[in-house]
Amino acid sequence: MRSDTDIALDLDLTLPGPKQTDALGVALAGVLRPGDTLLLSGQIGAGKSHLARAIIQSLQQRRDLPREDVPSPTYTLVQVYDLGDVEVWHADLYRLNGAEDVFELGLDSAFETEICLVEWPDRLGQDAPAAALTVSLDLSPETVGRRVSIRATDPRWIALERQLTQLGNPS
Ligand SMILES: Nc1ncnc2c1ncn2[C@@H]1O[C@H](COP(=O)(O)OP(=O)(O)OP(=O)(O)O)[C@@H](O)[C@H]1O
Ligand SMILES: [Mg+2]
């Protein structure tokens, strides 16, 4: 539902179980290009790493690359996957200390040229790319599975609405 003229994409979906999170990951992997950033929001255990894993493994599969394990980058902060034509930077910024760490990690330049999947993106503050797609996972006691809201202001993401609606459960 569009609520504002500045919003290019604003979609809410229900993901009843991990398989539906995987399906969302496959759909997102189908549209990701170099220079794209996904901001993966949501509380501890919401499924951010699960979704990132599904995206990365689907990107590998699409290139006939071996499917790698995708551990949570909780302690390394960043885990980089080389896909040949582009890298995927999977970051978990929960333990980030300050804004300067974003530069130390090299994330600022990765945002320009690679595919970046960022957990705990609130830690980026003003350094979050304006054109990023925000994917917020919500784990609430009254919800079976997860609710996910997918939002962007950049027109780059408009076409995603049709593709994601085909996943089912739009609301
Ligand atoms: N749609 C879903 N319904 C129910 N469980 C799900 C769904 N999607 C993912 N999960 C499960 O949620 C659990 C927690 O996922 P995950 O580790 O990805 O959380 P996280 O958001 O990355 O947490 P953290 O903030 O600690 O990094 C996993 O066991 C995963 O299988
Ligand atoms: Mg995680």
Side-chain angles (χ1 to χ4, degrees):
M1 193 175 29
R2 304 258 163 92
S3 56
D4 181 307
T5 48
D6 289 339
I7 303 290
L9 178 70
D10 184 356
L11 190 66
D12 293 331
L13 300 170
T14 301
L15 306 172
K19 280 197 167 54
Q20 284 74 33
T21 306
D22 289 338
L24 174 61
V26 170
L28 290 170
V31 302
L32 287 176
R33 324 191 277 239
D36 283 342
T37 295
L38 262 51
L39 305 177
L40 305 177
S41 299
Q43 67 207 84
I44 289 172
K48 304 178 293 296
S49 294
H50 188 108
L51 180 61
R53 186 173 300 119
I55 293 169
I56 292 164
Q57 290 179 338
S58 177
L59 287 168
Q60 290 172 332
Q61 194 175 18
R62 294 171 72 88
R63 289 165 175 78
D64 291 325
L65 292 168
R67 182 186 162 114
E68 281 180 74
D69 283 342
V70 178
S72 170
T74 313
Y75 297 102
T76 52
L77 297 191
V78 173
Q79 208 70 46
V80 179
Y81 300 84
D82 188 357
L83 301 184
D85 55 325
V86 66
E87 291 174 352
V88 183
W89 285 50
H90 179 198
D92 180 336
L93 304 182
Y94 189 77
R95 290 179 168 74
L96 196 74
N97 290 317
E100 60 278 28
D101 285 353
V102 174
F103 297 94
E104 281 164 27
L105 289 167
L107 260 177
D108 55 320
S109 57
F111 287 149
E112 305 287 324
T113 51
E114 313 302 341
I115 294 173
C116 296
L117 312 176
V118 183
E119 300 185 41
W120 298 100
D122 54 307
R123 309 298 198 260
L124 290 172
Q126 298 294 331
D127 296 320
L133 181 75
T134 298
V135 179
S136 308
L137 289 150
D138 181 33
L139 173 165
S140 71
E142 58 280 11
T143 306
V144 176
R146 305 287 188 264
R147 299 277 303 159
V148 61
S149 73
I150 300 168
R151 295 199 162 69
T153 53
D154 195 281
R156 183 257 172 277
W157 302 102
I158 286 175
L160 196 57
E161 178 156 7
R162 189 172 38 80
Q163 283 150 306
L164 294 185
T165 303
Q166 288 167 357
L167 282 177
N169 308 307
S171 57

